[in-house]
Amino acid sequence: MALQIKGPALFLAQFAGDEAPYNTLEGITKWAAGLGYKGVQIPTFDGRLFDLDKAAESDTYCDEVKGICADAGVEITELSTHLQGQLVAVNPAYDLVFDAFAPKEVHGNPKARQEWAVDQVKKAAVASKRLGLSHTVGFTGSLAFPFLYPWPQRPEGLVDEAFAELARRWVPILDHYAENGQDIGFEIHPGEDVFDGATWEMFLDACGGHVAAMINYDPSHFVLQQLDYLAFIDLYYDRINAFHVKDAEFNPDGRQGVYSGYQPWLNRAGRFRSLGDGQVDFAAIFSKLTGYGYDSWAVLEWECCIKSPEQGAAEGAPFIASHLIDRADRAFDDFAGGERDEATIKRMLGL
C-alpha cells in the first residue's frame, strides 16, 4: 500500500478542562473519537490527562494509557513537551511570565526551573519509547528573541552566543532522545529563538546537524510572518516529523501589519483561525507533504479568536479527512511505456 498521511488527529492541550469529558484522558479521548478523530497528541504538561513522571518509570502505567486510548478508538500520535521545552531556555526578560509554566517550588529560581524542564523533556523521551512511539513535539525556548528587531543595535556576537548556548543546552537532550530511538519536532514559532527557516538552520548547525532535531510543521505561524510556507516544505521536508494543521489569516491595513500594534487577537492583522476560515492553502500543503513521502499524522491544533473550540473541533476532523490523499503508486500514464529489453530500447533509439 502506498504511503499516506495519517489522520485526522487532535492536539488535546487546547481542549483539556476541569469539566467532564475534558478533565480525564478517558473522557476526552472518547469525545475526540466521537467527532471522527483517529489519533490524539497528548500534552505531557497537563496532569489531568497524563502523568509524565509515572510514564517515564512504569510500563504498567503506559499500558494503561494505551489501553484507554485504544478503548476510545484512537491512537497516540506524539507526546508534547511544548511548555517544558520553552523553559529549557528563558531570557531573563521573560522570567516572571514563564514561571507560570513551572511548579511553584521553582518559581523565582531560573536555575532550578531550567533543571526541572530538562528533566521533564528527558523523561518524555523515555515515556514515548515505553508507549511505542518514535516522535515527540515541543519548543526550543528563547534567549535571543527579545533582540529580534535590530534596534537598539545588537552587540556583535550576541546572536551567535545565544545559539551556541541553545545548542549547549539541547545537544545533551537530543543525545538522550537518540539513545532512546526518539526525536523532537520543534515547532517553528515566533517567541522561540527558532521561528523561521533561517533560525532553524542556525540552530541545526549549532547542534551539529543532530539526527534527533526535527520540525513540527505548522503553517499558521508562517502566514503571520508572511513566509512562504510551501517553499519551506521544499527546503526542509526531510526534517519534518510532525504536522500541526492550523489555519491563520493576515490582513494588514493602514494601522497595523506583522507586529499588530499590541492589539488583542480579535483586532490583530494576523490571527489564528479555525480550519477553513483562514488563508492557508491546505490542499497544496497536503499535496506537497504526500509527494515528499510524509506518512506521519496530521494533527489539528485549534486556536481561533472567533469560533468556539467545540465547533472548531467538530469541523476539524472532516476537514482534515477531506484533505488526506491516497497516494498513487504510479503516474496515471505509466502503463504506456512499459518495460522493454535492451535490444528493443536500442532499436527505439535507432542504435
Side-chain angles (χ1 to χ4, degrees):
M1 182 177 179
L3 297 177
Q4 180 178 340
I5 298 175
K6 293 182 285 189
L10 183 69
F11 186 24
L12 298 179
Q14 285 83 8
F15 301 95
D18 292 329
E19 303 294 331
Y22 312 109
N23 58 346
T24 65
L25 185 63
E26 181 178 10
I28 202 168
T29 52
K30 288 181 178 178
W31 166 77
L35 295 176
Y37 292 99
K38 297 181 180 180
V40 292
Q41 189 176 91
I42 296 179
T44 63
F45 43 84
D46 194 320
R48 293 169 296 192
L49 307 182
F50 190 77
D51 188 327
L52 177 57
D53 293 334
K54 189 181 293 186
E57 299 174 354
S58 170
D59 284 330
T60 300
Y61 175 73
C62 288
D63 288 342
E64 178 184 341
V65 169
K66 288 190 290 185
I68 289 172
C69 292
D71 288 346
V74 296
E75 297 180 44
I76 304 170
T77 66
E78 300 94 8
L79 297 182
S80 158
T81 57
H82 282 80
L83 297 194
Q84 302 100 315
Q86 179 70 63
L87 301 185
V88 169
V90 177
N91 185 285
Y94 297 142
D95 270 339
L96 183 61
V97 292
F98 280 145
D99 264 355
F101 289 177
K104 289 183 178 179
E105 55 265 28
V106 299
H107 287 188
N109 188 337
K111 184 176 184 294
R113 184 186 61 209
Q114 181 192 344
E115 290 173 350
W116 173 84
V118 170
D119 180 65
Q120 285 276 294
V121 176
K122 285 185 172 181
K123 284 178 177 176
V126 178
S128 183
K129 182 180 180 180
R130 290 186 187 277
L131 289 166
L133 307 173
S134 56
H135 305 312
T136 70
V137 293
F139 283 150
T140 63
S142 59
L143 298 172
F145 199 79
F147 304 98
L148 172 69
Y149 198 79
W151 179 257
Q153 294 191 19
R154 297 184 289 256
E156 185 176 353
L158 182 146
V159 172
D160 290 340
E161 177 57 25
F163 277 85
E165 176 61 25
L166 204 61
R168 286 192 286 268
R169 298 186 187 192
W170 274 106
V171 167
I173 300 172
L174 294 170
D175 288 344
H176 175 74
Y177 270 68
E179 290 164 4
N180 283 278
Q182 305 295 309
D183 55 34
I184 307 179
F186 292 106
E187 188 167 344
I188 311 299
H189 188 295
E192 312 305 309
D193 279 347
V194 179
F195 60 86
D196 60 9
T199 51
W200 163 252
E201 292 175 12
M202 293 166 66
F203 176 69
L204 190 61
D205 287 346
C207 292
H210 204 292
V211 66
M214 303 292 279
I215 293 171
N216 176 23
Y217 176 76
D218 183 336
S220 68
H221 302 300
F222 300 151
V223 170
L224 270 55
Q225 297 181 68
Q226 292 297 279
L227 184 153
D228 188 334
Y229 53 82
L230 296 177
F232 184 95
I233 297 174
D234 292 329
L235 290 169
Y236 309 114
Y237 66 89
D238 59 337
R239 287 281 178 168
I240 295 174
N241 75 339
F243 173 23
H244 270 176
V245 188
K246 191 165 94 176
D247 212 343
E249 63 182 354
F250 181 65
N251 300 303
D253 57 25
R255 295 180 63 246
Q256 56 167 294
V258 170
Y259 299 111
S260 288
Y262 295 115
Q263 297 304 295
W265 277 109
L266 187 63
N267 299 330
R268 291 176 67 89
R271 314 187 292 188
F272 298 129
R273 300 298 308 277
S274 283
L275 292 186
D277 294 343
Q279 298 168 348
V280 176
D281 186 349
F282 284 106
I285 289 174
F286 275 82
S287 293
K288 272 193 179 290
L289 289 175
T290 300
Y292 281 121
Y294 176 80
D295 61 350
S296 195
W297 288 89
V299 180
L300 168 64
E301 184 185 21
W302 177 88
E303 291 179 0
C304 183
C305 56
I306 297 177
K307 187 171 287 183
S308 73
E310 292 79 13
Q311 184 179 1
E315 294 174 350
F319 183 93
I320 292 174
S322 71
H323 283 80
L324 296 176
I325 298 171
D326 184 8
R327 186 177 180 181
D329 55 6
R330 59 177 174 80
F332 70 93
D333 60 351
D334 273 357
F335 69 88
E339 294 185 6
R340 297 289 189 272
D341 58 33
E342 184 177 353
T344 302
I345 290 173
K346 287 185 176 180
R347 189 164 64 250
M348 292 173 70
L349 295 172
L351 302 177

